[in-house]
Amino acid sequence: KQWYQRRVAITAGGIKQCRKRAYEHVPVLENHLKSNKYNTPDEKTMQSLSSEAGMTLRQVQVWVRRRQQAVLSTRHTKFVASFWRFVFYGCTFTYGLSSLWNENYLWDTKYCWIGYPDKIWAMKDNIYWYYMIEMGYYTACLVIQFTEVKRKDFNQMFLHHIATVLLISLSYVTGRTRIGALTMLIHDFSDISLEACKMAKYTKRIEAANVLFATFGISFFVSRIIYYPYSILNSVVFETPSALDPTLTILIIFLHVLYFLHIFWFSLIVRVVMTFAKNEQPEGDLRSEEEAPSSSEEERKEKKVE
């Protein structure tokens, strides 16, 4: 992954990595920024901090900006991360679709339950590896989330990763891998256009980003808001022949948790669409880091101080 990000992603994006400027360790300023999640203090707070730190107001402003740059993701870093996810989702969706294409339960979910629970099917090798790849990826996402810049929907993503890992594991050990494979396939589908949209925005290809965002919104609505409850939830609740047991109950609960998260994220999509309808430019990504605002004017002022 690291080699891929450094060599392929950087070349594809053509984005130069911003040099992070050095800064001195100032305990008073450091403690304040950490307690406020590295958000930019207001002018009154800046003046108070300058008195406490024995620095001029402009020196404090420059220090805060450099400290934020050292912590928060740059456009270069974001592009590299999105490029990696774009390739991953594209590959896993293609692999999953090719593995399920000739399976009758891809076209009719009632075949997910024929013979169950008396007969537990032996997993085909391609479905087994599909499961292992997805399980490894979302387990890694669950851990890495705590080392990355905290996003505004950190809690929702944490709940999503917990639900996903639990559903993949439980469907695997209980033999419900057919419905599990369909669920993973649906979720990979719309993520491809989302990451492509982000990459276009990071490289300042605004028209392409708008088209890709529209594609993402449509694919998200069709796959996760319409098809997911109609196909997956309906199948698990009404088509399964087994009696309601603890494992099935947990599956139903967390599958609904995922659907509620879909509704939450779709509301964000609608909010962005409404912003476009008002001829306004939405700020940040659909899932943006809590970054301090950056402007070319501030950069010019900083250079003057130096």
Side-chain angles (χ1 to χ4, degrees):
K1 175 183 176 181
Q2 294 297 326
W3 176 87
Y4 193 85
Q5 289 180 339
R6 292 175 181 175
R7 301 297 181 183
V8 181
I10 294 175
T11 303
I15 302 175
K16 294 182 179 180
Q17 187 170 11
C18 298
R19 181 173 61 90
K20 295 179 180 178
R21 300 176 181 272
Y23 61 91
E24 296 180 359
H25 178 67
V26 183
V28 174
L29 303 181
E30 186 75 35
N31 294 336
H32 178 82
L33 278 187
K34 282 186 177 180
S35 62
N36 289 276
K37 300 180 180 179
Y38 293 94
N39 290 318
T40 304
D42 55 34
E43 186 174 353
K44 185 177 180 180
T45 304
M46 285 278 198
Q47 292 174 348
S48 175
L49 290 173
S50 67
S51 299
E52 294 180 29
M55 302 166 63
T56 65
L57 178 59
R58 189 56 198 160
Q59 286 176 331
V60 172
Q61 292 172 339
V62 172
W63 188 95
V64 168
R65 180 177 178 80
R66 291 184 177 182
R67 187 67 184 95
Q68 289 172 333
Q69 288 177 340
V71 174
L72 302 176
S73 297
T74 62
R75 188 164 61 96
H76 167 273
T77 305
K78 291 179 181 179
F79 178 87
V80 169
S82 289
F83 193 92
W84 165 254
R85 289 192 294 265
F86 170 77
V87 172
F88 176 83
Y89 291 134
C91 291
T92 53
F93 176 76
T94 302
Y95 179 76
L97 184 62
S98 62
S99 299
L100 299 175
W101 187 260
N102 294 322
E103 303 293 340
N104 49 15
Y105 58 86
L106 175 63
W107 314 103
D108 190 348
T109 55
K110 71 179 181 181
Y111 287 101
C112 291
W113 309 105
I114 293 180
Y116 188 88
D118 299 325
K119 180 182 178 181
I120 303 293
W121 320 279
M123 290 183 68
K124 295 182 178 179
D125 289 342
N126 52 0
I127 304 299
Y128 169 81
W129 285 113
Y130 188 35
Y131 253 77
M132 294 301 104
I133 293 171
E134 293 279 358
M135 183 64 176
Y137 175 75
Y138 283 106
T139 301
C141 287
L142 183 62
V143 177
I144 294 174
Q145 188 179 15
F146 291 95
T147 64
E148 296 179 332
V149 176
K150 189 173 183 179
R151 298 177 183 271
K152 294 179 180 179
D153 64 345
F154 175 88
N155 294 331
Q156 291 84 356
M157 286 304 299
F158 179 72
L159 180 59
H160 172 269
H161 295 331
I162 288 288
T164 302
V165 171
L166 190 147
L167 287 170
I168 293 176
S169 303
L170 197 58
S171 62
Y172 178 78
V173 299
T174 60
R176 298 182 175 99
T177 53
R178 292 186 174 185
I179 200 69
L182 292 179
T183 303
M184 293 187 295
L185 188 68
I186 290 173
H187 283 76
D188 287 339
F189 173 62
S190 60
D191 286 332
I192 301 172
S193 53
L194 171 61
E195 300 304 332
C197 173
K198 288 183 178 182
M199 290 190 297
K201 183 175 181 180
Y202 299 149
T203 54
K204 298 183 179 181
R205 295 177 173 88
I206 304 303
E207 293 184 359
N210 293 340
V211 173
L212 288 168
F213 181 79
T215 303
F216 163 67
I218 294 172
S219 63
F220 190 96
F221 178 75
V222 172
S223 62
R224 300 200 189 188
I225 303 299
I226 301 300
Y227 183 78
Y228 177 79
Y230 176 78
S231 179
I232 303 300
L233 295 183
N234 178 72
S235 180
V236 174
V237 175
F238 298 108
E239 292 180 347
T240 176
S242 60
L244 195 64
D245 60 81
T247 59
L248 182 59
T249 302
I250 295 174
L251 282 175
I252 292 175
I253 290 174
F254 278 94
L255 284 171
H256 279 83
V257 167
L258 287 183
Y259 187 60
F260 292 140
L261 289 173
H262 296 168
I263 295 175
F264 167 77
W265 282 316
F266 188 70
S267 69
L268 299 183
I269 297 174
V270 173
R271 188 182 306 173
V272 174
V273 173
M274 295 300 293
T275 303
F276 274 116
K278 296 178 182 178
N279 294 321
E280 298 176 1
Q281 184 65 26
E283 297 181 1
D285 304 326
L286 185 63
R287 292 181 53 240
S288 60
E289 289 84 355
E290 296 181 343
E291 295 191 29
S294 171
S295 66
S296 56
E297 181 65 26
E298 288 186 12
E299 291 176 355
R300 286 194 295 270
K301 288 180 179 179
E302 183 177 329
K303 289 180 180 178
K304 289 180 181 180
V305 173
E306 297 173 350

